[in-house]
Amino acid sequence: HLQEERWAGQFALLDKFAAKHGRGFLVGDQITAADLKLFTQLPYWKSTVGITDEWLSKFPHVAKAMEGVRNHPKVQDWYTRK
């Protein structure tokens, strides 16, 4: 499927970048705007493009960064107050 291939290519580049520069997040060992932006976009892409957690697991460094965002105390606090 062409759409899936396009997204896979973009996520592969991001995964390669995170493998080189990330240490728990996309860039480094602390949460950044890049992590938050991707994290907030994922639900939209899941509903429109069909990205799933299983599909995202093909990109382990991106998946790890998104897990780090999801588990970050300030993000969890924001969701509990939402």
Side-chain angles (χ1 to χ4, degrees):
H1 186 262
L2 188 58
Q3 180 81 349
E4 186 176 313
E5 289 177 23
R6 182 180 141 241
W7 283 94
Q10 297 298 316
F11 272 77
L13 288 172
L14 185 57
D15 198 63
K16 184 177 179 180
F17 183 88
K20 183 175 182 179
H21 301 285
R23 292 184 310 277
F25 293 98
L26 295 175
V27 183
D29 60 359
Q30 295 183 15
I31 197 168
T32 66
D35 298 294
L36 291 169
K37 180 63 175 177
L38 182 60
F39 183 77
T40 60
Q41 284 298 118
L42 280 175
Y44 173 75
W45 292 334
K46 287 179 178 181
S47 68
T48 58
V49 180
I51 288 176
T52 64
D53 290 334
E54 180 182 347
W55 184 86
L56 189 60
S57 72
K58 296 176 186 178
F59 311 98
H61 299 94
V62 174
K64 180 180 178 184
M66 295 303 94
E67 183 178 333
V69 173
R70 187 179 308 107
N71 294 326
H72 192 280
K74 289 187 178 187
V75 172
Q76 287 185 350
D77 182 54
W78 186 85
Y79 275 109
T80 59
R81 291 186 287 128
K82 186 176 160 184

